[in-house]
Amino acid sequence: MCCLGIITAMEIQKLNFHSLFVRLLAAFTLLGLVPLIFVNQLWYHNTRGIVYQNELDNSANLLNQLNIRLENALNTINVNTYPFLFDSHFQEVLSIAPVSEGVRTHNEAVLKDSLMQIRENNSMISSVSYIGPYYQVCSVDSAVDFERFRCQDWYQHFLEYGKKEFFSPVYINDYIERRGTCVIGWIRRLSIEGGIQPPSSLLVEISHSSIASFLQPAMEGTDNRIFIFDSSGNLIFHPEEEHLFSPSAEDRRLFEALSSGNSSFRFKYEGNPYIVTAARMATTDWYLVIAADTATLLSATRAASHQVTMITVLVLICLV
């Protein structure tokens, strides 16, 4: 009996020691895991700030690259029109009324050859037209209804306000037979040296699909969006083409934020949060906009933080 009592006392002492060890281990584990939750949240907060800043830097770099590419493309179009705009022979022809139908036909053929050459030199150009008091000539071989073209609201705006140069909103050039494609008009009022300036202009129609070809690759593989607004709030480019002719309320709110002078801000579009970075294009005065999807941007960081938090909580539950 005495031996049994000694053995039992030793086992109890051993069990008490084991229980004490487990409690101490649990206490130290708790002391380590609870601060881990706060450290994890601090890490997420700091990492989120770094990711945001990196994305802003990346968006700014991409914006600058796209801006330069578009400006270079427009400058190339501009240079291609120089032979027509500054050739003294063309200026003389355009400033004098033709004396006969034979002279008119000859001059129209010469003018059309020059306009066709401008179009062929640049794949972004859909058509080139001269619209003046004595001649109305287009670079295409299809029939052209210039009277229908003159009904365009933006063209009337160009004439009424006496602008020397104007970039139109996106429109459909269905006044040209077998065309009917989306284009952007770049129209310039021509001045003739040494005489009274007749109301004449040169219209270069830029294919909208060529603008899209610059921008679509920058969105591939991402949830980011790119927009272009003109200075009046018309959409020049949108990832969904139907917005060009029917902008949403969110499109209008985005333009309001841009026109107020903001170049970098957070914006909610179609229920998703975005970081918006914008710049003005020098040639066109358009707003070039990149909207980075912050939900996708932080998904990996957020998932890692949640995983650490869940593991910590599970361990705490098991210990308790």
Side-chain angles (χ1 to χ4, degrees):
M1 291 294 291
C2 182
C3 290
L4 289 173
I6 293 172
I7 293 173
T8 302
M10 291 176 63
E11 289 177 350
I12 292 172
Q13 186 179 4
K14 191 175 182 180
L15 288 172
N16 289 337
F17 177 78
H18 179 73
S19 177
L20 178 61
F21 175 77
V22 171
R23 290 177 182 176
L24 288 173
L25 179 62
F28 281 115
T29 304
L30 287 171
L31 289 173
L33 290 177
V34 171
L36 180 61
I37 297 177
F38 295 100
V39 171
N40 180 54
Q41 292 302 313
L42 182 62
W43 169 83
Y44 174 71
H45 176 77
N46 292 337
T47 303
R48 181 177 62 178
I50 294 171
V51 171
Y52 273 138
Q53 188 58 49
N54 287 342
E55 185 60 26
L56 284 174
D57 293 341
N58 292 337
S59 294
N61 290 334
L62 178 59
L63 197 69
N64 186 52
Q65 293 173 20
L66 293 175
N67 197 347
I68 291 173
R69 290 187 64 193
L70 286 172
E71 290 284 4
N72 288 341
L74 293 172
N75 286 334
T76 301
I77 293 174
N78 188 35
V79 170
N80 286 337
T81 63
Y82 284 177
F84 186 90
L85 294 174
F86 302 114
D87 187 280
S88 58
H89 173 66
F90 285 142
Q91 288 194 6
E92 182 180 356
V93 168
L94 297 176
S95 62
I96 302 174
V99 296
S100 66
E101 283 303 312
V103 172
R104 178 189 297 277
T105 301
H106 171 75
N107 289 345
E108 284 179 345
V110 173
L111 293 173
K112 184 166 185 172
D113 285 343
S114 178
L115 298 179
M116 290 179 65
Q117 190 63 48
I118 294 172
R119 181 172 65 87
E120 291 172 0
N121 286 344
N122 195 297
S123 60
M124 293 182 67
I125 298 176
S126 175
S127 70
V128 188
S129 298
Y130 169 77
I131 306 168
Y134 310 128
Y135 302 96
Q136 297 178 89
V137 186
C138 185
S139 62
V140 301
D141 293 326
S142 306
V144 180
D145 187 350
F146 282 105
E147 291 304 316
R148 185 175 177 183
F149 167 77
R150 284 190 171 91
C151 295
Q152 298 269 2
D153 290 340
W154 69 264
Y155 181 69
Q156 293 298 321
H157 177 80
F158 168 74
L159 294 178
E160 290 172 6
Y161 287 88
K163 294 178 178 292
K164 293 184 177 180
E165 182 178 38
F166 183 74
F167 286 87
S168 77
V170 179
Y171 65 95
I172 298 174
N173 60 351
D174 52 4
Y175 68 95
I176 301 177
E177 187 181 16
R178 297 194 304 273
R179 272 296 195 271
T181 57
C182 289
V183 293
I184 300 162
W186 186 356
I187 192 165
R188 276 170 285 188
R189 193 180 299 273
L190 304 185
S191 58
I192 306 301
E193 295 181 0
I196 299 174
Q197 176 185 337
S200 60
S201 53
L202 180 69
L203 170 67
V204 177
E205 291 186 331
I206 303 170
S207 171
H208 183 265
S209 61
S210 66
I211 299 292
S213 68
F214 278 94
L215 305 177
Q216 290 288 0
M219 294 186 291
E220 291 179 359
T222 71
D223 292 317
N224 298 343
R225 292 170 176 261
I226 296 177
F227 309 90
I228 296 180
F229 291 88
D230 68 12
S231 57
S232 299
N234 300 300
L235 274 163
I236 301 300
F237 177 80
H238 190 285
E240 299 166 16
E241 195 169 290
E242 59 270 17
H243 285 248
L244 298 177
F245 304 102
S246 182
S248 66
E250 290 173 319
D251 294 328
R252 290 189 285 271
R253 285 197 302 108
L254 178 57
F255 175 71
E256 289 175 3
L258 294 168
S259 58
S260 65
N262 295 325
S263 60
S264 181
F265 54 94
R266 296 186 184 185
F267 189 82
K268 206 161 190 179
Y269 191 88
E270 295 182 350
N272 297 320
Y274 290 90
I275 300 177
V276 174
T277 308
R280 297 294 291 271
M281 295 181 60
T283 303
T284 60
D285 209 28
W286 291 341
Y287 294 90
L288 178 59
V289 182
I290 294 180
D293 184 359
T294 57
T296 303
L297 177 67
L298 293 172
S299 59
T301 304
R302 190 180 296 109
S305 176
H306 288 173
Q307 185 177 15
V308 172
T309 301
M310 289 301 298
I311 292 173
T312 304
V313 171
L314 287 174
V315 171
L316 290 174
I317 292 172
C318 292
L319 289 174
V320 174

